[in-house]
Amino acid sequence: MTLDEVRRRVEAARAEWAQASVEVRDLAALEALRVRFLGRKGVLTRLFDGLRALPPAERAEAGKLLNVLKAEITAALQARKGELAARALAEQAAAERYDFTLPGRWRPLGHLHPLTQVRREIEEVFLRLGFDVATGPEVETDYYNFEALAIPADHPARDDWDSFYIDDTRLLRTHTSPVQIRVMKSRKPPVRIICPGRCYRRDNPDATHSPVFHQVELLWVEQGLTMAHLKWVIGEFVRAFFGPGYEMRISADFFPFTEPSAQVHIRKRPGKWLEIMGAGMVDPAVLSEVGYDPEEVTGFAFGLGVERMAMLRYGVDDIRLFYQNDLRFLSQF
Ligand code: DAH
């Protein structure tokens, strides 16, 4: 080995470095390059090892050449590393940039069923007027559903309520009126309640009939109540629920458990009259049945259909829509 030969080898290594270093595109490649030139078995290490074969007088000179190259390569690696790191960061930042003008991801939020909304609204009107909410069982006895309401077994009015019987004495309640009986039997007057709930009738489904439907029953029993109070309460309800512009009308009807009995119509002038509820003064026979003294207290009651209210409110013309759970319908409320 001679000094010249070392010079040539250093130049060759420098050229090799120059070529290899321009091809580096990322930090991993740069590290591989560092190992290739400066690692324990790298190009420069081999060159330094080769110095031992030089005559001692030339070693210092040759060592200097090698050290210059090593310093060059070390500095170049350092600079390149800085560049590549900065570029990697810039690329990452570009890839992660957020566009705040993009529309957000839509997560649909559910809401209460329109019948539940309407039922709650009705409840709120009467809670404000001082009524309590009472409930009763959907599987009812013949006694509460009919007998106690002055509808004995052979009474023709039973035909008005086609019933689902479970056995000889139990049925799915056909209306919420039996809750009146249950409440009166368990409390002394005055009684001021509403009873919202599900009812069942053996009707074939069509645009205005559903075998399952909902009612809100109202009952007020106290001394001195008359038809005038009934009319006032219904008027308050119509005003609160439907808003201004509606008028109501009360006409005669028949229910075995009220005397006199009435039906209530409303209309938005000049529209047509629509029945919204059955009502009446609680029949003295019913008051006696629950242990009240009809000479001392009087009462009135009504039963209104929740579906009917919702249909009028929203202009829905087919009751079955409330039970089909079609989101195209439900999501409109
Ligand atoms: N229960 C009756 C029905 O389902 C409605 C009704 C009429 C309820 C008169 C009442 C009432 O409380 O007084 O057809």
Side-chain angles (χ1 to χ4, degrees):
M1 181 79 97
T2 63
L3 187 55
D4 274 347
E5 189 154 354
V6 171
R7 277 209 182 87
R8 254 185 283 116
R9 288 192 183 179
V10 166
E11 280 322 305
R14 182 173 276 122
E16 184 185 345
W17 160 260
Q19 195 188 346
S21 66
V22 294
E23 283 161 14
V24 168
R25 294 278 172 271
D26 56 38
L27 288 167
L30 189 72
E31 173 60 11
L33 195 64
R34 186 191 67 77
V35 172
R36 177 169 150 202
F37 282 86
L38 301 182
R40 271 196 306 121
K41 293 176 184 163
V43 174
L44 267 85
T45 311
R46 268 183 279 121
L47 286 175
F48 276 110
D49 286 348
L51 292 184
R52 264 179 266 138
L54 279 180
E58 294 180 336
R59 278 185 200 161
E61 179 71 17
K64 223 186 260 173
L65 291 173
L66 279 177
N67 276 324
V68 169
L69 178 60
K70 184 178 179 184
E72 278 175 28
I73 291 178
T74 304
L77 279 169
Q78 200 61 37
R80 193 87 176 106
K81 189 172 180 178
E83 269 171 44
L84 288 172
R87 191 196 304 165
L89 195 65
E91 278 169 7
Q92 190 187 355
E96 284 181 2
R97 200 167 50 205
Y98 295 104
D99 181 350
F100 291 103
T101 67
L102 283 176
R105 243 170 248 165
W106 174 243
R107 300 246 183 272
L109 194 61
H111 60 67
L112 295 176
H113 192 280
L115 290 179
T116 306
Q117 294 183 35
V118 166
R119 193 203 71 220
R120 287 197 181 178
E121 231 184 279
I122 296 170
E123 285 174 13
E124 273 162 27
V125 171
F126 290 111
L127 286 171
R128 278 201 296 277
L129 290 177
F131 287 78
D132 291 334
V133 173
T135 55
E138 289 177 27
V139 176
E140 210 20 304
T141 62
D142 195 87
Y143 172 76
Y144 284 107
N145 197 81
F146 290 128
E147 297 278 337
L149 291 162
I151 318 170
D154 55 357
H155 196 289
R158 283 218 182 182
D159 294 347
D160 294 348
W161 293 279
D162 261 335
S163 317
F164 289 112
Y165 274 89
I166 289 169
D167 55 31
D168 284 350
T169 56
R170 289 180 305 166
L171 70 160
L172 298 177
R173 70 177 175 199
T174 59
H175 49 183
T176 43
S177 299
V179 186
Q180 289 189 30
I181 305 297
R182 289 182 175 274
V183 170
M184 285 192 285
K185 276 184 176 259
S186 66
R187 300 186 199 172
K188 288 192 160 34
V191 163
R192 202 187 297 156
I193 52 150
I194 57 166
C195 330
R198 199 170 289 145
C199 307
Y200 303 83
R201 284 184 203 174
R202 232 174 51 213
D203 287 328
N204 286 323
D206 63 23
T208 55
H209 294 85
S210 166
V212 183
F213 61 100
H214 298 78
Q215 288 187 334
V216 174
E217 190 87 8
L218 175 142
L219 174 69
W220 187 347
V221 182
E222 200 169 333
Q223 284 180 358
L225 291 179
T226 68
M227 274 308 255
H229 299 97
L230 170 60
K231 193 177 170 194
W232 180 82
V233 167
I234 298 171
E236 285 300 300
F237 167 68
V238 169
R239 228 187 327 283
F241 186 80
F242 289 104
Y246 278 84
E247 58 180 341
M248 61 178 265
R249 159 183 106 171
I250 294 185
S251 55
D253 201 344
F254 173 78
F255 298 99
F257 37 91
T258 43
E259 180 57 37
S261 302
Q263 54 182 257
V264 179
H265 294 84
I266 60 160
R267 75 166 172 183
K268 187 167 193 158
R269 249 190 304 219
K272 63 179 195 300
W273 290 103
L274 294 161
E275 190 195 338
I276 58 165
M277 64 173 79
M281 301 303 293
V282 179
D283 194 299
V286 173
L287 293 175
S288 300
E289 177 66 29
V290 300
Y292 288 5
D293 180 356
E295 298 296 324
E296 200 184 327
V297 291
T298 52
F300 58 80
F302 68 63
L304 63 82
V306 176
E307 283 78 358
R308 195 22 114 65
M309 295 297 114
M311 289 167 83
L312 290 173
R313 158 69 66 82
Y314 298 120
V316 175
D317 57 10
D318 193 324
I319 194 173
R320 290 168 293 192
L321 288 166
F322 292 118
Y323 294 99
Q324 286 161 348
N325 283 338
D326 185 334
L327 285 177
R328 290 169 301 181
F329 173 74
L330 294 179
S331 61
Q332 296 177 53
F333 298 92

